[in-house]
């Protein structure tokens, strides 16, 4: 089929796609003529090839210069106020996703042909799915997005959930999937919700584009641009309007060049050309420049998009914002939901050395210390220049912020492949680097009997500055069908207007969450700013109380030994908890709780089928893997009635025995006197009472460690001796500066 035939038959729909891809009708007219000119020497054969050319030429010509202005079709007279937010969100989607949605909504494109079509290296159906998922909060905020994530679905539901969003016809063609749908109400609900989203988006977009028609003069110009010019090349050049317009300026420039051209020949050194970095050098540069502001003076703001999995295994895309003053060091860093709202985590340190920190209970649980209530917990205290920098680094190396650093650490050890170069919407030339790695939101890579967490990881890195721009995962076998998802992305940086600094760095304007800030004299731990000074147990005191601790785990930056944390939820910090030890590293966290269990919920959590039961030295150990590279460990005496390992002959159990002896005499005295036993520790120095039938245990949560590292940590558990104190005191807050000889 010739280009002229395609325009006469499908011209209206192609023009609608051009309108969808460009900022205004004038740009759409130019795009149509440029596409026509690209087919001067050959016929496009199909309307899909013309649509592909529209995307390629629009993507190279229209960058981000006008991206903040909505195109006219979004606010056309026929668009209702109800449809305007959805259309505005569609207008801000990437070019490829907009094209895919337009092809789905318009009738000129055969469903069977477009289903296997690729746009910018991605399948059409994948682009449609990603676009619909981005539009989901606008279409219907009540629909749970996790319903369409196969990774979060039960094992038996995953094939159906994946097919629903990519190609629903597969579900109805497969007898196995139809049988599953007949029995699974959750999958049927997901199918209904997805069908509703698809219909609403397509009908809304189709309704907005329906009044748009290809003007007759534009159609004529487009067809004419596709016809070869019969004139000789020299004549075309002489008669071209461009040459006639450019002749006078070129003549003037030539005369000026003759006047100012130096008479002598001066040899100058040519500037050195930039060396081409290897893939591993790009990874190293990305680590060095991560979250660093661009060179300059004054304030700078960077925006980031991070996929984050919460403690209840749901996920959301968080918007991370970092404001930093390059000269004074004051900064503000926060995480909010992609759709806005109160901060999940908030930190502000101003130029007067005042610091504010707040965290919401929903987010704190993912940091290992779930908080009581629904309002954010906050503190304010003074922070000198050193603490200001430590607070900023603590935020950037923990929680959702540390996500890219962990992927870059994988890349350092992986076999890297160059996936090519491409140009972003803002004109930046980037390198795409791929490697086979492990998905961080998934289970630990060495956990037995769990879902395979391997994935193809794609890193998009600026080829000039080395800054990381995006991290994408391709889930599935490398030779089979893969599901793509973005786990981290840089959303752009900008200079801060000095007139806005009071609004950005002033707590009265910056904080919009629920909760108050409690005044503190100082911040004890930059990683756990809420931790009060009075809760800290010096490590040297642990020798007197016979507290059990491991050797410092790999990459430990800071360690804390504490008790009496009233803000922690009761199921974690219960009346039976004696102390808590926390070891912190970049993207790693080890929490040890010493408690006594009988019928506690913590013990019941280790009765599921995915739990390993094994023996480590004198200990009976239950090991349970979790998402986000998490292991939960319960340790009891190998001779305890709770331990029922088949064929186990038992063993000595020494390290925890002193804990039982330490608390049992007061309990027996209370029992003989008939006094009511207290239910909660009231101060740091009190001895906690426990029921006589209780048994000692250690409850460990390990985030970011492999199974082998966790078992090595368990094997190293022991009481603190003078020698071990000297080895560990540099990590612990209350002992790092203690130089008293032992």
């Amino acid at each position: 089929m010739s280009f002229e035939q395609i325009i006469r038959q499908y011209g209206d729909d192609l023009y609608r796609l051009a309108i969808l891809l460009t900022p205004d009708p004038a740009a759409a007219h130019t795009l149509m003529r440029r596409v026509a000119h690209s087919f001067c020497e050959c016929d496009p054969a199909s309307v899909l090839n013309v649509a592909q050319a529209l995307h390629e030429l629009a993507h190279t010509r229209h960058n981000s210069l006008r991206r903040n202005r909505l195109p006219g079709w979004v606010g056309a007279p026929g668009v209702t106020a109800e449809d305007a937010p959805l259309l505005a969100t569609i207008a801000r989607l990437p070019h490829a996703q907009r094209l895919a949605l337009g092809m789905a909504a318009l009738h000129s494109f055969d469903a069977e042909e477009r289903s296997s079509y690729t746009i910018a290296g991605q399948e059409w159906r994948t682009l449609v799915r990603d676009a619909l998922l981005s539009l989901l909060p606008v279409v219907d905020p009540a629909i749970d997005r996790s319903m369409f994530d196969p990774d979060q679905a039960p094992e038996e539901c995953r094939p159906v959930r994946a097919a629903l969003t990519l190609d629903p016809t597969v579900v109805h063609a497969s007898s196995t999937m139809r049988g599953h749908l007949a029995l699974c109400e959750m999958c049927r609900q997901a199918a209904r919700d997805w069908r509703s989203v698809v219909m609403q988006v397509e009908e809304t977009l189709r309704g907005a584009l329906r009044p748009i028609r290809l003007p007759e003069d534009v159609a004529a110009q487009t067809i004419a641009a596709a016809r070869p010019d019969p004139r000789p090349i020299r004549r075309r050049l002489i008669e071209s309007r461009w040459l006639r317009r450019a002749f006078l300026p070129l003549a003037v420039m030539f005369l000026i060049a003759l006047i100012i051209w130096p008479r002598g020949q001066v040899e100058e050194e040519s500037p050195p050309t930039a060396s081409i970095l290897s893939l591993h050098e790009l990874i190293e540069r990305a680590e060095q420049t991560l979250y660093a502001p661009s060179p300059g003076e004054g304030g700078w703001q960077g925006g980031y998009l991070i996929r984050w999995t919460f403690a209840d295994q749901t996920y959301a895309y968080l918007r991370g914002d970092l404001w930093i003053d390059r000269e004074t060091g004051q900064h503000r860093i926060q995480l909010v939901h992609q759709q806005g709202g109160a901060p999940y985590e908030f930190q502000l340190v101003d130029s007067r050395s005042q610091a504010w920190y707040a965290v919401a209970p929903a987010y704190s649980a993912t940091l290992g210390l779930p908080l009581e209530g629904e309002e954010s917990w906050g503190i304010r205290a003074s922070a000198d220049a050193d603490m200001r920098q430590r607070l900023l680094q603590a935020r950037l190396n923990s929680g959702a912020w540390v996500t890219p650093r962990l992927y870059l650490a994988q890349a350092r050890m992986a076999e890297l492949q160059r996936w090519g170069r491409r140009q972003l919407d803002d004109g930046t030339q980037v390198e795409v680097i791929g490697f086979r790695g492990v998905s961080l939101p998934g289970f630990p890579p060495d956990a037995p009997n769990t879902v395979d967490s391997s994935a193809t990881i794609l890193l998009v890195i600026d080829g000039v500055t080395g800054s990381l721009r995006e991290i994408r995962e391709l889930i599935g076998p490398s030779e089979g069908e893969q599901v793509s998802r973005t786990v981290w992305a840089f959303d752009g940086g900008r200079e801060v207007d000095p007139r806005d600094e009071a609004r950005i760095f002033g707590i009265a304007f910056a904080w919009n969450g629920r909760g108050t800030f409690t005044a503190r004299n100082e911040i004890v731990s930059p990683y756990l700013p809420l931790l009060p000074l009075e809760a800290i147990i010096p490590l040297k005191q642990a020798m007197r109380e016979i507290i059990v601790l491991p050797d410092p785990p790999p990459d430990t930056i800071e360690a804390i030994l504490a008790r009496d944390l009233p803000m922690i939820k009761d199921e974690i910090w219960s009346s039976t908890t004696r102390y808590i030890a926390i070891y912190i590293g970049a993207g790693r966290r080890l929490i040890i709780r010493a408690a006594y269990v009988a019928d506690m919920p913590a013990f019941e959590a280790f009765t599921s089928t995915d739990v390993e039961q094994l023996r480590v030295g004198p200990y009976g150990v239950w090991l349970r893997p979790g998402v986000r590279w998490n292991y939960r460990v319960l340790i009891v005496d190998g001779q305890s009635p709770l331990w029922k390992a088949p064929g186990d002959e038992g063993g000595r159990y020494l390290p925890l025995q002193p804990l039982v002896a330490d608390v049992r005499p007061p309990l027996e005295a209370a029992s003989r006197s008939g006094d009511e036993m207290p239910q909660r520790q009231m101060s740091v120095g009190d001895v906690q009472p426990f029921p006589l039938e209780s048994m000692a245990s250690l409850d460990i949560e390990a985030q970011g460690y492999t199974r082998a590292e966790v078992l090595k940590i368990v094997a190293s558990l022991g009481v603190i001796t003078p020698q071990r104190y000297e080895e560990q005191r540099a990590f612990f807050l209350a002992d790092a500066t203690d130089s008293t000889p032992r």
Side-chain angles (χ1 to χ4, degrees):
M1 184 179 291
S2 68
F3 184 83
E4 182 175 351
Q5 290 174 319
I6 290 175
I7 290 298
R8 295 192 184 282
Q9 185 171 348
Y10 305 109
D12 286 342
D13 279 352
L14 288 171
Y15 182 64
R16 288 164 183 147
L17 289 183
I19 289 289
L20 193 63
L21 295 174
T22 53
D24 50 54
H29 300 167
T30 303
L31 177 60
M32 291 290 289
R33 290 194 295 271
R34 293 180 69 224
V35 169
H37 188 69
S38 68
F39 290 107
C40 276
E41 306 296 332
C42 62
D43 288 331
S46 75
V47 67
L48 289 175
N49 291 335
V50 179
Q52 177 79 357
L54 283 171
H55 168 261
E56 292 174 354
L57 294 176
H59 188 66
T60 57
R61 184 174 180 86
H62 300 288
N63 52 28
S64 59
L65 294 177
R66 288 176 280 185
R67 64 182 178 184
N68 293 324
R69 194 182 77 186
L70 290 175
W73 60 270
V74 172
V79 175
T80 64
E82 182 181 357
D83 293 338
L86 176 57
L87 294 174
T89 308
I90 293 174
R92 293 190 175 97
L93 290 174
H95 281 87
Q97 292 185 11
R98 267 183 280 161
L99 178 67
L101 280 182
M103 292 171 65
L106 301 173
H107 297 297
S108 295
F109 306 97
D110 182 76
E112 185 173 346
E113 290 182 0
R114 73 191 179 193
S115 63
S116 58
Y117 209 68
T118 59
I119 303 170
Q122 291 184 273
E123 286 190 351
W124 170 83
R125 59 182 185 173
T126 301
L127 290 168
V128 171
R129 180 205 60 198
D130 292 346
L132 292 173
L133 289 174
S134 300
L135 299 173
L136 191 59
V138 183
V139 176
D140 190 350
I143 295 178
D144 184 5
R145 177 172 174 151
S146 65
M147 291 284 290
F148 310 118
D149 187 350
D151 291 340
Q152 298 194 50
E155 183 71 27
E156 63 273 16
C157 298
R158 290 178 183 177
V160 173
R161 299 289 177 89
L164 280 177
T165 56
L166 284 174
D167 190 357
T169 59
V170 173
V171 178
H172 301 291
S174 169
S175 58
T176 303
M177 292 188 182
R178 290 200 308 272
H180 177 80
L181 275 177
L183 299 175
C184 181
E185 173 57 27
M186 293 296 292
C187 286
R188 290 199 301 274
Q189 183 61 47
R192 288 192 294 268
D193 289 344
W194 186 256
R195 187 163 53 249
S196 172
V197 171
V198 171
M199 292 178 61
Q200 184 171 343
V201 170
E202 289 185 0
E203 289 175 2
T204 302
L205 183 57
R206 192 181 299 121
L209 297 177
R210 187 178 292 114
I212 298 173
R213 295 285 190 274
L214 177 63
E216 292 184 4
D217 58 334
V218 176
Q221 295 170 13
T222 302
I223 293 172
R227 292 169 179 163
D229 195 331
R231 295 176 298 170
I233 295 178
R234 181 179 298 178
R235 183 176 177 183
R236 275 184 282 169
L237 182 63
I238 294 174
E239 295 179 355
S240 67
R241 288 180 298 172
W242 179 89
L243 184 61
R244 289 198 297 269
R245 292 174 181 175
F247 179 77
L248 181 59
L250 288 174
V252 173
M253 291 174 63
F254 179 73
L255 291 174
I256 294 173
L258 286 177
I259 295 172
I260 67 174
W261 194 264
R263 297 298 182 264
Q265 292 185 350
V266 180
E267 293 186 2
E268 296 182 356
E269 286 189 20
S270 59
T273 57
S275 60
I276 300 176
L277 299 177
S278 69
L279 297 186
H280 280 94
E281 287 173 333
L282 279 174
I283 298 298
E284 183 178 354
R285 185 75 63 84
E287 290 183 293
Q288 294 169 352
T289 59
L290 184 63
Y291 297 127
S294 59
E297 298 178 352
W300 178 85
Q301 177 193 357
Y304 306 88
L305 191 66
I306 309 172
R307 188 184 193 273
W308 186 245
T309 304
F310 291 90
D312 60 359
Q313 300 190 18
T314 61
Y315 78 91
Y317 279 95
L318 306 185
R319 165 80 186 189
D321 284 292
L322 168 63
W323 293 266
I324 187 167
D325 192 313
R326 303 178 182 94
E327 299 170 359
T328 66
Q330 64 179 339
H331 68 263
R332 171 180 158 198
I333 182 171
Q334 66 183 36
L335 290 167
V336 301
H337 194 278
Q338 184 184 13
Q339 302 301 322
Y344 285 111
E345 187 179 45
F346 173 91
Q347 179 172 288
L348 169 64
V349 184
D350 64 17
S351 57
R352 298 173 301 163
S353 299
Q354 292 296 307
W356 289 264
Y357 175 82
V359 62
Y363 182 74
S364 71
T366 65
L367 304 179
L369 295 175
L371 299 174
E372 288 279 14
E374 297 181 358
E375 295 188 354
S376 295
W377 289 71
I379 59 101
R380 58 182 175 87
S382 60
D384 58 18
D386 177 64
M387 179 55 74
R388 178 191 306 154
Q389 184 63 21
R390 290 173 62 196
L391 282 167
L392 178 59
Q393 292 305 313
R395 298 288 75 73
L396 296 178
N397 285 286
S398 63
W401 290 99
V402 80
T403 298
R405 201 171 297 281
L406 299 179
Y407 281 100
L408 291 171
Q410 285 193 63
R412 282 203 313 267
M413 310 301 295
E415 181 180 345
L416 304 179
Q417 294 180 338
R418 195 184 299 273
W419 280 53
R421 297 182 178 92
R422 65 185 177 93
Q423 180 174 305
L424 302 182
D425 287 347
D426 60 2
T428 303
Q429 297 289 334
V430 295
E431 294 274 359
V432 181
I433 301 174
F435 64 93
R436 195 64 181 167
V438 180
S439 172
L440 291 181
F443 287 92
D446 56 353
N449 303 321
T450 57
V451 178
D452 182 15
S453 297
S454 61
T456 299
I457 312 299
L458 300 182
L459 306 177
V460 181
I461 300 178
D462 189 321
V464 177
T465 66
S467 60
L468 184 64
R469 301 300 295 263
E470 183 182 355
I471 302 176
R472 182 176 288 270
E473 290 182 344
L474 302 180
I475 306 297
S478 56
E479 302 299 329
E481 184 173 336
Q482 296 180 314
V483 178
S484 172
R485 66 185 182 192
T486 298
V487 294
W488 183 93
F490 175 58
D491 199 31
R494 68 176 184 89
E495 299 296 316
V496 173
D497 191 326
R499 294 171 295 182
D500 295 334
E501 288 188 0
R503 176 181 58 83
I504 293 171
F505 298 113
I507 188 65
F509 299 97
W511 172 249
N512 68 334
R514 297 171 55 196
T516 58
F517 295 90
T518 303
R520 294 268 179 84
N521 292 329
E522 62 178 321
I523 294 176
V524 180
S525 167
Y527 282 89
L528 297 173
L530 296 183
L531 189 69
L533 177 62
E534 57 271 18
I536 299 294
I537 304 175
L539 187 60
K540 56 187 175 183
Q541 184 178 334
M543 290 190 293
R544 297 194 296 270
E545 297 195 11
I546 318 181
I547 286 176
V548 178
L549 294 175
D551 292 337
D555 304 324
T556 296
I557 298 173
E558 180 181 290
I560 302 163
L561 187 60
R563 57 185 167 198
D564 194 20
L565 303 178
M567 74 284 289
I568 304 300
K569 274 189 176 181
D570 280 341
E571 61 262 28
I572 299 299
W573 186 268
S574 67
S575 61
T576 64
T577 303
R578 180 171 173 79
Y579 66 85
I580 183 169
I582 306 171
Y583 292 83
I584 300 169
R588 290 183 160 196
R589 182 185 67 248
L590 182 75
I591 300 179
I592 303 173
R593 287 177 282 265
Y596 291 79
V597 294
D599 296 323
M600 293 174 58
F603 178 73
E604 294 177 0
F606 290 89
T607 59
S608 58
T609 57
D610 60 347
V611 175
E612 281 189 271
Q613 188 178 6
L614 61 157
R615 185 75 176 240
V616 180
Y619 302 112
V621 177
W622 286 269
L623 192 65
R624 188 188 69 185
V627 295
R628 301 196 330 274
W629 277 33
N630 179 279
Y631 277 107
R632 188 81 179 273
V633 188
L634 184 66
I635 304 171
V636 299
D637 181 358
Q639 296 179 340
S640 167
L642 294 173
W643 179 253
K644 299 178 181 178
D648 189 2
E649 297 179 358
R652 291 190 312 118
Y653 178 63
L654 296 177
L656 289 181
Q657 187 62 33
L659 294 178
V660 181
D662 188 30
V663 299
R664 190 163 294 169
L667 284 173
E668 292 174 348
S671 178
R672 285 194 299 269
S673 65
D675 296 337
E676 182 179 355
M677 293 188 291
Q679 295 301 311
R680 187 174 180 84
Q681 174 181 322
M682 300 304 295
S683 66
V684 174
D686 292 338
V687 176
Q688 291 197 57
F690 304 101
L692 291 175
E693 67 273 17
S694 295
M695 288 157 283
S697 75
L698 286 180
D699 185 2
I700 298 179
E701 181 184 350
Q703 181 84 50
Y705 297 95
T706 65
R707 180 178 179 275
E709 288 173 330
V710 171
L711 294 180
K712 187 175 181 180
I713 290 169
V714 172
S716 70
L717 287 167
V719 295
I720 297 298
T721 62
Q723 179 182 353
R724 298 189 77 195
Y725 169 78
E726 292 297 333
E727 295 171 351
Q728 296 212 32
R729 72 175 187 179
F731 297 110
F732 283 83
L733 293 175
D735 300 81
T737 59
D738 183 8
S739 58
T740 306
R742 300 289 155 194

